């Protein structure tokens, strides 16, 4: 410091104070300001993530292990203390099925959402950059696909291809990609017209570079929020299809089919309300995760765009 | 030609084109079937002649465009084809026509959706408009939080919660039926009583969507400069809303209603299965799981057509009530 010039400069003083905050530090500040609903959402998501990843380590039994007594009630309602949430219709431990179901249901929904973002996002970017016949064909095609309700379309396609996990993932990913395409194309269209994009193209960058390095960083926040919303939508669709008996097939544990299997005694609920628990429990697990994701997305949207009343 | 007329015609043409394309997509599903479908339907032991006859009935020996024309022509005349189920490998045919299967369920589904719409539409418009007018009040926030939560719930979760609450004896004296197994011979009152739980379930889902969309539309509208102008020149609050805001609000409100009625048509599938309601949704699920393609096609066509026509209707209402188009310069 001794050889520094002895003059005063306002810019230098401001520069000293204004150290640029790191990514981590900014995240910390944002988290501190997050509302309770967002915190609740993040904690729930983290919990589900842990269960999905490490489930097999703390699941009490095997995924398809069958015990002697079927349809046992919860242990607090007079069931066997070895099975906290009782057993299902062929005697499998419900708690174990719930833990393995987290892994299957969430995992398949994540893969599907990622696939639909890869398809829809890249096509949307290409359509936004290359506004020619390609854009026209893609956009009109998406219009037609979106004019059929997606659950109905998925049901019809499943009747043709059968309900296997790969066809489930592909069908829902393609149907969902139409929504991603629309959003990506419309946000990217605003960025494509910027001068720096034109500069990049003039200096001869290829389509891939323009997409990845010029446009993508500028449309990330709405896409991240959309990822959350799409995930919960896909998750609900898969759970609904499994509930209808057309999604994930047994013996793979999954929450949608658990709701379906649990609902066999639902008409006797007037005599004993605990008969609704076998379907209510997995349904609640689905509901809790979607609520959590929605809370976090809501906060994120609010934070990144200052959107107040769009939704 | 008056600009409205040309826009309406254009939109109608587009709607018909969409219906045409969608019918092609639904039709081509049968062409996508893997392998020889005849043997799958009729069983391994089917005689070659029976399989041949079945293939000829499906028209698999003709080119695709001719088959499409036959198919769509038959549908336009009300002939939806014959169900795959009930066919045996021996060749005797006890299958029923698709129309026989679908027509009683059609009226059931429309009944359920209609009753829900009668309750849900006024309720959500009222909630949405009042929430928009009292923006950021406690009322607004409460309605917002509740609807955000119900939107995130899957339909079957809401349904089972309601079953426990309203049928499980948690509230003493309230015991609604959990099975909505209505028949044609039932009097209207009994039918309405049977479908109480499904109607409440769907109302909760629809109201959440519709209320949020109405609120957003109204708030958008109230932020526009001409509303501020009207307020600044001293017009009363009712006059601002009725005279200035409402003419421009019809289009978004109509869109909201039509969009949600279309959503209702789809949401009906899961709710029908939960409450074992004999509707088209349940039929479609059954036909998909038994891979009864003609029935699945007919159901898909019904749902898609309803969806497209409702959306078209919303667009048309938006065009017809648009003041800018009504008074062209």
């Amino acid at each position: 410091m001794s050889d520094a010039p002895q003059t005063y400069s306002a810019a230098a003083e401001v520069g000293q104070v204004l150290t640029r905050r790191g990514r981590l530090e900014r995240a910390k500040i944002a988290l501190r300001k997050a509302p309770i609903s967002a915190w609740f959402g993040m904690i729930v998501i983290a919990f589900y993530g842990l269960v999905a990843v490490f489930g097999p380590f703390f699941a009490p039994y095997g995924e398809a292990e069958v015990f002697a007594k079927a349809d046992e009630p919860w242990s607090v309602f007079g069931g066997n203390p070895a099975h906290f949430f009782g057993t299902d219709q062929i005697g499998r431990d419900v708690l174990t099925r719930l833990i393995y179901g987290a892994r299957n249901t969430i995992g398949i929904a994540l893969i599907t959402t990622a696939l639909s973002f890869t398809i829809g996002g890249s096509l949307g970017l290409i359509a936004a950059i290359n506004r020619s016949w390609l854009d026209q064909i893609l956009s009109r095609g998406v219009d037609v696909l979106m004019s059929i309700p997606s659950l109905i379309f998925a049901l019809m396609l499943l009747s043709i291809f059968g309900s296997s996990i790969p066809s489930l993932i592909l069908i829902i990913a393609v149907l969902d990609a139409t929504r991603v395409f629309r959003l990506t194309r419309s946000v990217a269209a605003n960025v494509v017209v910027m001068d720096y994009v034109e500069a990049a193209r003039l200096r001869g960058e290829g389509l891939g570079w323009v997409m990845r390095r010029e446009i993508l960083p500028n449309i990330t926040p709405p896409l991240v929020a959309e990822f959350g919303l799409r995930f919960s939508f896909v998750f609900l669709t898969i759970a609904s299809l499994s509930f209808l008996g057309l999604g994930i097939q047994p013996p793979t544990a999954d929450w949608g089919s658990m709701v379906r299997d649990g609902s066999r005694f639902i008409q006797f609920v007037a005599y004993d309300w605990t008969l609704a628990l076998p379907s209510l429990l997995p349904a609640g697990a689905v509901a809790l995760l979607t609520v959590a994701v929605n809370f976090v997305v809501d906060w994120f949207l609010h934070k990144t765009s200052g959107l107040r009343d769009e939704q | 030609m008056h600009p409205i007329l040309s826009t309406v015609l254009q939109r109608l043409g587009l709607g018909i084109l969409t219906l045409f394309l969608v019918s092609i997509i639904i039709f081509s599903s049968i062409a996508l079937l893997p392998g020889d479908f005849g043997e799958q339907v009729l069983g391994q032991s089917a005689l070659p002649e029976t399989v041949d006859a079945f293939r000829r009935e499906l028209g698999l020996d003709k080119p695709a465009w001719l088959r499409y024309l036959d198919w769509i022509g038959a549908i336009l005349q009300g002939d939806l084809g014959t169900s795959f189920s009930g066919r045996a490998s021996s060749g005797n045919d006890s299958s029923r026509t698709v129309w026989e299967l679908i027509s009683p369920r059609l009226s059931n589904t429309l009944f359920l959706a209609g009753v829900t719409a009668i309750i849900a539409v006024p309720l959500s418009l009222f909630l949405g408009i009042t929430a928009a007018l009292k923006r950021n009040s406690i009322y607004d926030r409460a309605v917002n939080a509740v609807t955000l939560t119900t939107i995130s719930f899957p339909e079957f979760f809401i349904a089972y919660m309601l079953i426990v609450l309203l049928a499980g004896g948690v509230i003493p004296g309230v015991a609604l039926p959990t099975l909505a197994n209505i028949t044609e011979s039932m009097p209207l009152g009994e039918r309405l009583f049977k479908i109480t739980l499904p109607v409440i379930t769907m109302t909760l889902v629809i109201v959440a969507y519709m209320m949020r969309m109405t609120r957003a539309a109204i708030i958008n509208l109230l932020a526009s400069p001409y509303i501020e102008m009207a307020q600044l020149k001293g017009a009363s609050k009712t006059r601002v809303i009725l005279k200035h805001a409402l003419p421009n609000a019809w289009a978004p409100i109509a869109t909201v209603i039509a969009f949600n009625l279309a959503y209702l048509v789809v949401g009906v599938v899961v709710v029908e299965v939960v409450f074992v309601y004999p509707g088209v949704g349940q039929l479609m699920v059954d036909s998909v799981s038994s891979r009864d393609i003609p029935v699945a096609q007919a159901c898909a066509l019904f749902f898609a057509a309803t969806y497209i026509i409702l959306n078209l209707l919303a667009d048309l209402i938006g065009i017809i009530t648009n003041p800018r188009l009504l008074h062209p310069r």
Side-chain angles (χ1 to χ4, degrees):
Chain A
M1 281 314 247
S2 57
D3 55 342
Q6 295 293 311
T7 52
Y8 174 77
S9 149
E13 183 162 347
V14 170
Q16 265 179 356
V17 179
L18 253 182
T19 48
R20 191 168 161 73
R21 286 182 179 130
R23 217 173 259 264
L24 201 71
E25 212 172 334
R26 271 181 289 157
K28 261 189 212 159
I29 292 174
L31 278 182
R32 218 178 300 142
K33 285 191 200 156
I36 300 171
S37 61
W39 268 109
F40 167 77
M42 281 184 283
I43 291 170
V44 169
I45 292 172
F47 175 71
Y48 274 73
L50 279 179
V51 171
V53 174
F54 300 109
F57 294 111
F58 50 86
Y61 307 104
E63 183 176 359
E65 207 175 329
V66 177
F67 293 90
K69 197 159 177 291
D71 287 318
E72 267 200 78
W74 290 18
S75 58
V76 284
F77 293 118
N80 185 348
H83 305 291
F84 186 69
F85 286 140
T87 52
D88 69 0
Q89 78 278 13
I90 59 168
R92 292 171 298 199
D93 182 58
V94 171
L95 178 62
T96 310
R97 299 285 288 171
L98 211 57
I99 291 172
Y100 275 96
R103 159 172 277 216
N104 299 328
T105 317
I106 297 174
I108 289 174
L110 260 185
I111 296 173
T112 310
T113 320
L115 190 62
S116 84
F117 262 75
T118 323
I119 302 171
S122 47
L123 287 182
L125 277 180
I126 291 174
I129 297 172
N130 178 356
R131 315 204 72 158
S132 57
W133 53 271
L134 188 68
D135 178 30
Q136 279 299 318
I137 291 178
L138 286 174
S139 299
R140 295 293 83 77
V142 162
D143 281 350
V144 173
L145 285 187
M146 282 180 78
S147 66
I148 307 179
S150 65
L151 186 66
I152 301 299
F153 209 161
L155 280 177
M156 209 185 69
L157 291 177
L158 282 174
S159 77
I160 300 160
F161 297 110
S163 312
S164 65
I165 288 179
S167 64
L168 192 69
I169 290 178
L170 264 178
I171 288 171
I172 297 178
V174 169
L175 292 183
D176 221 50
T178 54
R179 271 81 177 167
V180 181
F181 172 85
R182 275 256 176 109
L183 180 87
T184 316
R185 186 179 164 280
S186 69
V187 240
N190 293 329
V191 179
V192 168
V193 292
M194 294 288 179
D195 288 342
Y196 56 82
V197 177
E198 194 155 342
R201 291 170 112 177
L202 284 178
R203 65 173 190 261
E205 306 289 6
L207 182 69
W209 171 282
V210 175
M211 269 165 65
R212 266 186 307 114
R213 304 301 294 270
E214 307 290 340
I215 299 176
L216 206 54
N218 289 299
I219 60 169
T220 306
L223 283 190
V224 170
E226 183 71 7
F227 190 88
L229 287 180
R230 285 290 112 208
F231 169 76
S232 59
F233 189 80
V234 165
F235 182 67
L236 279 184
T237 311
I238 291 178
S240 301
L241 284 174
S242 301
F243 170 73
L244 298 175
L246 303 163
I248 303 166
Q249 299 295 321
T252 313
D254 114 282
W255 293 341
S257 12
M258 286 175 74
V259 178
R260 176 191 181 78
D261 294 339
S263 68
R264 287 167 307 135
F265 300 120
I266 205 80
Q267 63 265 45
F268 306 115
V269 95
Y271 311 107
D272 179 10
W273 71 272
T274 55
L275 285 176
L277 285 176
S279 44
L280 209 51
L281 183 71
V286 172
L288 188 62
L289 181 61
T290 42
V291 170
V293 172
N294 268 315
F295 277 160
V296 175
V297 168
D298 212 42
W299 164 65
F300 185 80
L301 269 180
H302 205 83
K303 194 172 75 72
T304 51
S305 56
L307 280 182
R308 291 199 64 86
D309 289 303
E310 242 66 43
Q311 266 302 312
Chain B
M1 202 177 355
H2 196 279
I4 282 201
L5 197 61
S6 63
T7 328
V8 165
L9 285 179
Q10 209 179 358
R11 197 61 197 78
L12 272 177
L14 205 61
I16 292 170
L17 182 70
T18 319
L19 271 175
F20 170 67
L21 290 175
V22 166
S23 75
I24 287 184
I25 293 179
I26 292 178
F27 167 76
S28 48
S29 63
I30 210 162
L32 284 170
L33 285 175
D36 196 352
F37 198 70
E39 275 174 18
Q40 264 192 43
V41 170
L42 300 174
Q44 293 275 316
S45 59
L47 295 171
E49 298 90 77
T50 329
V51 177
D52 257 9
F54 181 62
R55 287 174 61 88
R56 218 169 308 123
E57 187 195 322
L58 287 183
L60 289 179
D61 49 350
K62 281 186 257 172
W65 61 270
L66 205 65
R67 267 186 289 148
Y68 174 74
L69 286 183
D70 284 350
W71 181 73
I72 198 82
I75 282 179
L76 290 178
Q77 290 165 28
D79 173 17
L80 293 167
T82 316
S83 162
F84 280 175
S85 66
R87 291 183 197 243
S89 53
S90 57
N92 67 4
D93 193 347
S94 59
S95 59
R96 301 201 283 164
T97 62
V98 175
W99 178 247
E100 240 175 280
L101 288 168
I102 211 173
S103 59
R105 284 157 177 270
L106 215 59
S107 53
N108 283 348
T109 290
L110 292 178
F111 177 61
L112 182 60
V115 173
T116 311
I118 289 172
I119 298 170
V121 171
L123 184 65
S124 45
L125 287 185
F126 172 77
L127 285 176
I129 293 175
T130 45
L133 291 180
K134 297 188 189 302
R135 189 141 70 104
N136 293 332
S137 66
I138 296 174
Y139 168 71
D140 180 31
R141 277 174 207 196
V143 170
N144 241 326
V146 171
T147 49
L148 183 64
T149 320
T150 38
I151 281 180
S152 344
F153 284 166
E155 283 111 340
F156 50 76
F157 180 64
I158 299 182
Y160 287 126
M161 288 283 276
L162 286 173
I163 286 181
V164 170
L165 282 181
L166 299 177
V170 173
I171 304 169
V174 180
L176 293 171
T178 52
L179 281 181
N181 49 347
I182 65 166
T183 56
E184 278 180 51
S185 54
M186 271 184 199
L188 183 68
E190 195 182 344
R191 276 207 235 179
L192 284 175
F193 179 64
K194 285 259 185 193
I195 64 165
T196 321
L197 274 178
V199 166
I200 298 178
T201 309
M202 291 210 291
T203 306
L204 277 180
V205 178
I206 292 293
V207 163
Y209 274 102
M210 223 175 352
M211 173 265 151
R212 288 173 81 83
M213 284 166 74
T214 314
R215 179 177 172 275
I218 300 286
I219 283 177
N220 247 337
L221 204 69
L222 291 182
S224 36
Y226 67 86
I227 297 290
E228 200 180 356
M229 177 66 207
Q231 282 166 345
L232 287 177
K233 80 177 184 200
S236 70
K237 208 165 186 175
T238 37
R239 197 179 153 78
V240 169
I241 289 173
L242 291 181
K243 198 85 182 148
H244 296 265
L246 211 52
N248 281 304
W250 285 125
I253 289 178
T255 317
V256 170
I257 293 176
F259 180 87
N260 282 286
L261 291 185
Y263 181 86
L264 192 68
V265 170
V266 185
V268 107
V269 177
V270 172
V271 176
E272 275 179 8
V273 172
V274 170
F275 293 102
V276 203
Y277 184 81
V280 185
Q282 176 109 47
L283 180 67
M284 178 158 190
V285 171
D286 290 345
S287 65
V288 169
S289 52
S290 63
R291 303 185 79 176
D292 190 347
I293 309 289
V295 180
Q297 275 183 331
C299 298
L301 206 59
F302 161 72
F303 282 123
T306 319
Y307 195 76
I308 292 170
I309 289 170
L310 282 172
N311 277 319
L312 181 67
L313 213 63
D315 277 4
L316 290 184
I317 293 174
I319 293 167
I320 292 170
T321 57
N322 188 339
R324 270 184 221 158
L325 284 174
L326 276 178
H327 309 287
R329 269 183 229 156

